[in-house]
Amino acid sequence: MTVAPLADRLDAELAELARFHDSAFPGWSRVVFSEPYRDSRDWVRARMAEAGLDPVVDAAGNIIGRLPGADPNAPALLTGSHTDTVPQGGRFDGIVGVLGGIEVARRLTETGTRLNRDLYIVDFLGEEANEFGISCMGSRSISGTLSAEHLDRMDGSGQRLGEAMRGFGLDPSAALGQPWRRPMHGYVELHIEQGPLLERAETEIGVVTAIAGIERLLVHFAGSAGHAGTTPMGERHDALVSAAAAVLTVDRVGCAAPVHGVSTSGSIVSAPGSMNVISDEAKLWAEIRSVERDWLQGARREIVDEITAETAARGVQIDVEWLNDQDPVPTDEPVRDVIASAAAELGYSWRAVPSGAGHDAAHLARLGPMGMIFVPSVAGKSHCPEEFTASADIAKGVHTLTRTLVALDAQDRPRD
Ligand code: HGY
Ligand code: MN
Ligand code: MN
């Protein structure tokens, strides 16, 4: 009997989860620690409970469901993703992996397909970038890399991450000491591609080769304020002009990448913010990404050197804070092969693709063999209201995930 997902049930749940968002903004805003996010976690937990997964919430807020296998001592299988969104984001990023994982568990149960190994389905807390500058909070905790320094990071209001976690009913200090202790046989995450490659290649399934490393920086510019009308142009130390020049530097470095490499400036703030006053303060948030570690490190150095030179010429001081340093993470080759075989056996076209997006899977790779399955994003759009993946494509991804997990379950190659 096929364990294909029930596409209508998946559609209905995607629509139901999409209801939890801040309707004051266009698109879907369900950012970490927000009220819509808090309400949505109760809904996800209820879906896992209904599926018989007996969900628990750990100290870091990860919702963890378990489908018991025949051998409780065998190294376990894990799947999952996240359900928080970027502000004004979409309805599929991360969500497809959580609801898809629950559907896999339901279909295994409904078809009487008993795995040998326990299968965990996880909704990781706070995967998206946020004002604390730390993404993948839940998966960092589970993989043992959430640190006390992370908990001290402050958002724009001066609130520390640890306080925000406590306010959300979590236990930040316990979250530091709770890495996943059970041997993991494999982790496979289903996710939308968030880019144009699969659609352009008219391919149904992406077998991810590597997850891009992400370096995020916050640059502080300190110039000197002055009268906009009386200060001669050559005597200004304009922090905002320096920040604007830095935006172009960040863009230029990304555009010059000879390999997979991208760069983005996310936002600038300046003070005092009046058009008749020369800015004496500015801040720029930016990031660079690549699956190529060498380019990433080189781009990191190049950006700082160029911004330093530009600002020195204007007599503006800078301080660079690196907020996030996530190395590129290759997926596990044997797991890639299992995913590709599963897609081919189901008659789905597949191709190997890199992930320019970051994922919880990059952290789970610390615990054992990791793989990712992509499904196409219409027009490659994501992190915006236009984000869309067709129901039939999601179903193919969930079907491939099911077959992959069943095949991995049968293998006895645990990684010690
Ligand atoms: O930003 C990312 O790459 C991911 O979507 N959180
Ligand atoms: Mn995501
Ligand atoms: Mn995202």
Side-chain angles (χ1 to χ4, degrees), residues 64-78 116-120 142 178-186 364 366-368 409 415:
I64 305 170
R66 182 176 70 98
L67 180 70
D71 176 0
N73 301 314
L77 287 167
L78 283 77
N116 177 45
R117 305 166 189 282
D118 284 357
L119 169 64
Y120 289 88
I142 274 195
Q178 57 142 29
W180 188 268
R181 301 200 191 288
R182 184 158 175 197
M184 185 175 91
H185 184 63
L364 273 285
R366 288 173 179 271
L367 301 177
D409 179 56
R415 185 152 96 190

Side-chain angles (χ1 to χ4, degrees), residues 82 93-94 127-128 191 194 359:
H82 64 97
D93 172 2
E127 186 273 349
E128 293 294 357
H191 204 285
Q194 299 181 288
H359 299 286

Side-chain angles (χ1 to χ4, degrees), residues 66-119:
R66 182 176 70 98
L67 180 70
D71 176 0
N73 301 314
L77 287 167
L78 283 77
T79 187
S81 193
H82 64 97
T83 53
D84 59 313
T85 71
V86 295
Q88 304 179 42
R91 295 167 285 156
F92 301 91
D93 172 2
I95 294 140
V96 161
V98 174
L99 298 186
I102 297 171
E103 180 64 9
V104 167
R106 272 194 295 248
R107 294 299 292 143
L108 290 173
T109 304
E110 288 164 355
T111 55
T113 312
R114 181 86 189 269
L115 296 181
N116 177 45
R117 305 166 189 282
D118 284 357
L119 169 64

Side-chain angles (χ1 to χ4, degrees), residues 82 86 93 127-129 135-136 191 194 214 216 287 289 355-359 382-383:
H82 64 97
V86 295
D93 172 2
E127 186 273 349
E128 293 294 357
S135 51
C136 296
H191 204 285
Q194 299 181 288
I214 307 178
R216 289 194 174 114
E287 63 158 60
R289 302 188 187 206
S355 174
H359 299 286
S382 180
H383 280 189

